[in-house]
Amino acid sequence: MARLLSQTLICTGRFLLRRFSEPPPVMVSAVAPSPVFFHRNYSSKSLSLASPLGSSYFSLFGPPAIRSSAFSSSATATTVEVQSTEHEVVIALGSNIGNRMYNFREALRLMKRSGICVTRHSCLYETAPVHVTDQPRFLNAAVRAVTKLGPHELLTVLKTIETDMGRKDGIRYGPRPLDLDILFYGKLRICSDKLIIPHERLWERSFVLAPLVDLLGSAVDNDTVAHWHSLAVRPGGVFQAWERLGGESLVGQDGIQRVLPIGDKLWDFSNKTHVMGILNLTPDSFSDGGQFQSVDSAVSRVRSMISEGADIIDIGAQSTRPMASRISSQEELDRLLPVLEAVRGMPEMEEKLISVDTFNSEVAKEAVSNGADILNDVSAGSLDPNMHKVVAESGALYMAMHMRGDPCTMQKEENLQYDDVCKDVASELYMRVRDAELSGIPAWRVMIDPGIGFSKRVDHNLDIVMDLPKFREEMAKRSIAVSHGPILIGPSRKRFLGDICDRPEATDRDAATVASVTAGILGGANIIRVHNVRDNADAAKVCDAMLRRRRSKG
């Protein structure tokens, strides 16, 4: 301890001597994440930081303020750069000129190429402009990433990307194809003429705080995140700063909408419960196998579901009922593609979405090429190692469902053991979504399904339907962005309803389906996947009216 104290006193003495012997700073200041010493690098005119001391330095002296100054009469400011270890950063994205989604996709591609590895994505927000209000609405988001770039190097890279994407000098707060801002850099607090972290107005801007909150789990996952919370100008960290502005009550108002990308368009999924109508092209599905194998019968069924209130048509050519055998990719495509092409060309499908129910990456790739908007994967990528890569490259929305094993093994005893089904399902599903995100599928393209009837007993299915708020809360501990995304439930005509109601025939379970769907919607489900569209669409309308009434009463 005496030796450590001696080292720290020497280091502090050098720091003070340098600080008071130099001319006034120009300046860069920072709060370092760990004890540091400084040495000059005259060739680059920068200060580099290393961490030779233990954490006891801060406990003795507190974090030092780092100030650098000019080395010559030209008053050229020096910069504070870190050694080439990885640092976690948060970068905000904004765009309101041109194809905004393309701008975001290209920015992420260029960031990756420049050594910025994105690990988490926020939701997408469409927001009203501020300060200069006579301009188009903005698309806003944020990402967490790791990089070896120093803070000013990172700034230079981001500004270069902005320029490459067509940004030019213009009106402050005015229109721009791309805006990239560093919100946090590791545990540093930086203040220079070119870079301020955190930005002094961060805490008063809802369009920045909303995506920032999304990147944090409600349970603080590391020391760096704890430090980000500590940077808030008032107690309570990032979450309380968001709540002081209005928090979740702001979302859905005219100023800020949470949206999902459908190609280059945006989908506001929160304005009502969306009904997904099931179209099985299989001969062996448990409810309606063999009924819609011809193109004509399939098109007729879609036309009927649209007229009854379907918003999404979910087309499946591979059965996922218990004990279903897996068919080849070619057989699945032979069933799917003629119907998909015909359905996509129907005038009634204007403004409607097409989902393809598959866990096969080859089928998924062809489905998107032929007009699918959503890839509905009951395995969340666990049954095909290429699935996440294909989805990432496709740009389609991804429905990730919880299941253990495969359709042949999912109901085996070892796959039916849960300590707490909502907690366990959320944890396991998040790990699949996490893999998807690291493979390049942003959280703003992910929807989740707890998998009613898949690897679940009757009581597990009931717990999920009744406790969707708990399921969402458990997901939020790991990723607030994922927890804010759409939740789908699919209890339609499933065996557990037949067991409860003594209805052995699947087609006799529609009333039970309406009951379970109603409970799910009131618990927060955004999408319901059903066979009987008309009755369940009516149930959804009544539930939506109830929820609007509840919100209006505060």
Side-chain angles (χ1 to χ4, degrees), residues 3-16 61:
R3 182 179 178 184
L4 177 61
L5 182 60
S6 175
Q7 287 178 319
T8 56
L9 289 173
I10 291 170
C11 180
T12 305
R14 288 174 178 170
F15 168 72
L16 293 173
F61 299 103

Side-chain angles (χ1 to χ4, degrees), residues 128 197 248 365 445 518 554:
I197 300 176
E248 192 63 18
K365 184 175 182 178
R445 282 171 45 202
T518 297

Side-chain angles (χ1 to χ4, degrees), residues 30-33 63 88 90 182-190 196-203 209 212 216 223-239 241 244:
V31 174
E88 190 166 17
V90 175
I182 306 170
L183 302 185
F184 294 130
Y185 185 100
K187 296 180 184 177
L188 293 181
R189 185 193 297 269
I190 301 173
I196 299 175
I197 300 176
H199 194 282
E200 56 203 5
R201 301 189 69 177
L202 161 66
W203 313 106
L209 278 176
L212 175 58
L216 311 176
D223 290 343
T224 300
V225 173
H227 177 77
W228 295 343
H229 283 291
S230 76
L231 294 174
V233 294
R234 293 170 63 181
V238 176
F239 295 142
R244 276 190 285 270

